[in-house]
Amino acid sequence: MAECYSINQYEQAAHLLPIRFQRIALHLPDWQKEQAEELRLRAGHPMTVLLPRGEQSLGPEALVTQGDLEQLCDTVTGYSRYTAAETMSRGYITAKGGFRIGLCGTVVLQEGRSINLRSLSSACIRIAREIPGLADGLVDRLFQNGRYCSTLIIAPPGLGKTTLLRDLVRCLSDGTDSLPAHRVSLVDERGEVAVMLEGQPEVGCHTDVMDSCPKSVAIPMLLRSANPQIIAVDEITQARDLAAMEEAAYCGVRFLATLHADSADDLQRRPLLQKLQKMHLFEKAITIHMADTLRRYTIRNL
């Protein structure tokens, strides 16, 4: 069942490609479709697929042009790029099903701030996958004396932070045999965690989702509208995210969040992360690393 699901997700991602690339991408053997993490298109080079052992070229017939990248962007946005201008200015668009497409090209600046991308040069389609049950062996360990401890998920890019976040949100929201259900509010800034379809998220029966909204804006809104016990956010990147989280913490809210870093020790090395540590918003950290081609999860107190 899990194998069929992984292959199906790969094939959904492949169908986002321009028609001439779909046949090439779908021709991969099933075992590679199951393992594939990304499809990458770079103008002037063949399309590649990212597998656990690295990128694999899909051959000279998969040579990418700048026009192919523009077509991909137009197709995903329904030929209405202006509707995705906000996320494009930050280097990505999100396709139906939670597939995030990272974009590179010429940045259009206005008063030193990115407002759009033009002349696209590359695109990276991240293959969104859920792994139900992934958090089952972890969620109980995030509680102390029956109380949930604010938790930070730490790992380098590509190791599955968002996948783990999604399943932890579901576990906390639905409850388990030993833990009660919690009111969880999820800030899904890029639309790739809850995978909202016609207003219906798939992240637990007691979860409220604020979709496509910056964390610094969504967190105060959720405090007023949803009375959350736990607020979950993906990828803390800015000081204003921390300011909004600090305000919510004063109201008794606890957090579940992800962060790009090599390890928990990285919190000492970067200014934003140093500030995060000094605020004492988080009590526990889950770090993810690879060992023998498998992801390993370690929980420590902060």
Side-chain angles (χ1 to χ4, degrees), residues 186-207:
L186 170 64
V187 181
D188 196 3
E189 188 168 354
R190 296 186 304 270
E192 62 177 346
V193 183
V195 191
M196 293 278 278
L197 182 60
E198 296 179 353
Q200 297 183 28
E202 296 294 335
V203 280
C205 60
H206 297 100
T207 301

Side-chain angles (χ1 to χ4, degrees), residues 35-57:
Q35 294 183 1
E37 299 175 8
E38 298 172 351
L39 289 163
R40 288 183 167 265
L41 297 88
R42 300 178 178 95
H45 301 278
M47 180 173 64
T48 65
V49 58
L50 179 63
L51 301 168
R53 65 172 182 271
E55 286 189 51
Q56 174 179 302
S57 172

Side-chain angles (χ1 to χ4, degrees), residues 2-16 33-39 49-50 93-102 124-132 134 158-164 166-167 170 188 190-196 202-203 234 295:
E3 178 182 344
C4 292
Y5 167 76
S6 293
I7 293 171
N8 180 64
Q9 289 299 102
Y10 171 86
E11 291 179 347
Q12 282 193 46
H15 280 108
L16 298 173
K33 292 179 181 178
E34 182 186 3
Q35 294 183 1
E37 299 175 8
E38 298 172 351
L39 289 163
V49 58
L50 179 63
I93 52 179
T94 303
K96 182 179 178 181
F99 298 97
R100 183 171 61 169
I101 302 172
C124 169
I125 303 175
R126 296 185 66 178
I127 299 167
R129 291 190 176 102
E130 291 186 73
I131 307 179
L134 178 66
L159 284 191
K161 294 186 295 300
T162 300
T163 303
L164 178 59
R166 182 185 298 116
D167 207 52
R170 183 185 291 110
D188 196 3
R190 296 186 304 270
E192 62 177 346
V193 183
V195 191
M196 293 278 278
E202 296 294 335
V203 280
D234 198 13
R295 289 174 174 82

Side-chain angles (χ1 to χ4, degrees), residues 176-235:
T176 68
D177 291 341
S178 57
L179 298 173
H182 288 71
R183 295 186 306 278
V184 182
S185 289
L186 170 64
V187 181
D188 196 3
E189 188 168 354
R190 296 186 304 270
E192 62 177 346
V193 183
V195 191
M196 293 278 278
L197 182 60
E198 296 179 353
Q200 297 183 28
E202 296 294 335
V203 280
C205 60
H206 297 100
T207 301
D208 302 295
V209 179
M210 197 68 77
D211 190 55
S212 302
C213 182
K215 291 178 276 292
S216 58
V217 176
I219 290 172
M221 291 174 67
L222 288 165
L223 283 176
R224 293 189 293 267
S225 64
N227 187 26
Q229 294 171 292
I230 301 169
I231 292 179
V233 303
D234 198 13
E235 294 187 15

Side-chain angles (χ1 to χ4, degrees), residues 55-72:
E55 286 189 51
Q56 174 179 302
S57 172
L58 295 184
E61 67 274 19
L63 185 68
V64 178
T65 68
Q66 204 268 334
D68 293 323
L69 297 168
E70 300 292 344
Q71 183 182 347
L72 170 66

Side-chain angles (χ1 to χ4, degrees), residues 84-95:
E86 174 63 25
T87 63
M88 281 192 69
S89 70
R90 289 180 277 164
Y92 70 91
I93 52 179
T94 303

